[in-house]
Amino acid sequence: MNNKIFKGLCVGLLGMIALNSCTKLDVKTYSVVGSGSYWQTPDQITAGVAPAYGGFNSISAIDAGIATMLECTADDIVVPTRGNDWGDAGHWDALWKHTYEKTNSNWNNGWNDIFNAISSCNNIITAVNGIKPAPSSLPVILAQVKTLRAYYYFMAMDVFGNIPIVTDTTTSTTSPTKARADVFNFIVSEVQSSLPYLTTTVDASTYGKVTRYFAFALLARMYLNAQVLTGKPGLSYTAGTPAWQKASDYCDSILLSNKYSLMSNYFDNFAPTNGPSSTENIFAVVTDHINNKVSSWENAILHYQSYLAFGMSTGANLWNGFCSAADFYNNFDTTSSYAASGSNTLRTYRDMRSGQWLIGQQFIGTYNYPPSQNVVVAGPSANYILDAQTGFPLAFNPNFTLFSDPSAQGRLAGVRNIKYFPSPNSGKSGNDMDNDIIIFRLAEILLIKAEAQIRLGNPGAALPLVNQLRTRAYGGNSSFNLTTINLTTLLAEKGREMAYEGVRRDDLIRYEVAGNGDYFTRARVPGKAKDPDQHTMVFPIPAQQMTANSGLVQNPGY
């Protein structure tokens, strides 16, 4: 299936909140900001600020936008060309190989998505500030919307580097480019000034809403990357000022609150029922297959015939695209135990996180939740799933070397990730997963603090943080905990824990800018040569935007 057919599927305004229950609700949105008497109750505020959350629909959608600019430029996700499928005018090739042309319309899609989200926030802020008399809820409203806008600016700065800062509803088309460090400081100022007015309540009523802990998580992630984000993009990246201690401190603001705890099973954070019941997820984009059909993650990953393994409806709308290659997959501990069950052989992974991969021969109706236990790896050939086009057994192989492969084997290249476990409801229309998409969770906070402590010269403080995750990963067995830790082992651990969660690109760039070696720009299999320099650590400002706004300045190297 060609990717063109699903561009734009993930639209509609996000109903982000489960109010007073664990049920995901279809939250009504309001295009007109009402009078001051309207913005008083929690429900009224929820409805009024709902458009500000709408940006999460587009920036988390797996199409030609921000999400793929973040996900498909690192080493964990590759979208190879499979015969006539997934060519898309070289879009996926450009992401993987870092051959970014400023005329590529896909970067322009990402730019428009993010600045449309910022514009929605600006509209609300301007309208609410204009209400006379001001509603008593004004500080709470402004804090929530400004923090959302700050997150969107973080995303824009992350991929485009130097961008304009627009905070009102001006119609000017010549807003000037600001240096990346200036954007960084603007975001920090906005979030810090909002902190006192953000809720500290963590329950079903605040699920899918910006809380103080969302803000702390954003600041922790930003300060972890401060050396990159306050630096200057160029052919040789000029590093800025690191802020490891601040990253650690903002992690403590979450960890010492005791508001969150690790789920005992890794996969429960991503399951089709991963809503307010997760004690680990700090912020998630609320989706489901009825009221909020915006998520296409597993549709993009699973093979056309994978519906046979997961009890989906016949002819489910699956696309056979995203996968991972051997270099990344081999980082996982795939040691397993095996047991006979009738005519089948079942596999249980020692490290439960390794169960997020579909590898080898796939079987009809075999996948139970969680996917780390009792996976069928051998059985009667009558139960083999076959690729319908070629008749070949559906067997996923991480060891592939061709980015573009017209052969039958090319259709099956790469292991497939199912940490967002598919449900029978998934795949019917192409954007109907029930799994909420995770933006921040406690595991990342532990890993941020661990890295900050290592870089501050205190690996002893990092070790127990990482071992919390390893103990959970090995089913509560601490005998697999690390006894020493350094930056290399930490990055490997973060790869195992945080694959497909949108942070790998930042990790690789940060490690390289911090002087730890070639991470982001290095050669990779399949078919990526080493980047000629470091200008690819940001994307070009899209040519369409340069034409429309004479105030913009193009990034170096483009």
Side-chain angles (χ1 to χ4, degrees), residues 17-22 42 46 199 201-209 276:
I17 307 96
L19 290 173
N20 302 321
S21 74
C22 293
T46 291
T199 184
T201 300
V202 176
D203 60 20
S205 71
T206 59
Y207 182 74
K209 287 184 180 180

Side-chain angles (χ1 to χ4, degrees), residues 243-302:
W244 313 119
Q245 187 60 56
K246 288 184 178 180
S248 181
D249 290 345
Y250 278 113
C251 289
D252 283 342
S253 295
I254 297 172
L255 298 174
L256 298 179
S257 74
N258 295 317
K259 296 283 187 175
Y260 301 94
S261 60
L262 296 178
M263 298 289 285
S264 60
N265 189 291
Y266 174 78
F267 291 102
D268 288 350
N269 294 302
F270 313 98
T273 55
N274 67 335
S277 60
S278 172
T279 61
E280 184 173 338
N281 294 336
I282 297 170
F283 182 82
V285 181
V286 180
T287 75
D288 67 49
H289 74 284
I290 297 175
N291 297 317
N292 223 6
K293 298 171 68 171
V294 299
S295 179
S296 307
W297 273 92
E298 290 300 335
N299 305 82
I301 292 170
L302 294 175

Side-chain angles (χ1 to χ4, degrees), residues 476-538:
N477 187 346
S478 62
S479 63
F480 296 100
N481 285 0
L482 300 175
T483 56
T484 61
I485 193 167
N486 56 36
L487 289 171
T488 300
T489 55
L490 178 71
L491 183 63
E493 193 65 32
K494 193 170 185 181
R496 291 186 282 271
E497 182 70 27
M498 300 290 295
Y500 284 54
E501 292 187 56
V503 299
R504 184 69 174 179
R505 172 182 173 272
D506 285 348
D507 289 343
L508 298 185
I509 291 174
R510 181 179 67 258
Y511 266 62
E512 186 162 332
V513 170
N516 302 112
D518 292 343
Y519 283 87
F520 183 71
T521 61
R522 68 178 174 86
R524 295 196 297 259
V525 176
K528 181 197 177 298
K530 182 176 174 13
D531 294 9
D533 50 55
Q534 293 181 322
H535 81 278
T536 56
M537 289 181 175
V538 293

Side-chain angles (χ1 to χ4, degrees), residues 349-368:
Y349 290 92
R350 187 169 69 180
D351 180 342
M352 70 173 66
R353 297 171 300 189
S354 300
Q356 66 188 281
W357 301 109
L358 298 182
I359 185 170
Q361 178 62 49
Q362 303 297 293
F363 294 83
I364 296 172
T366 57
Y367 261 89
N368 297 312

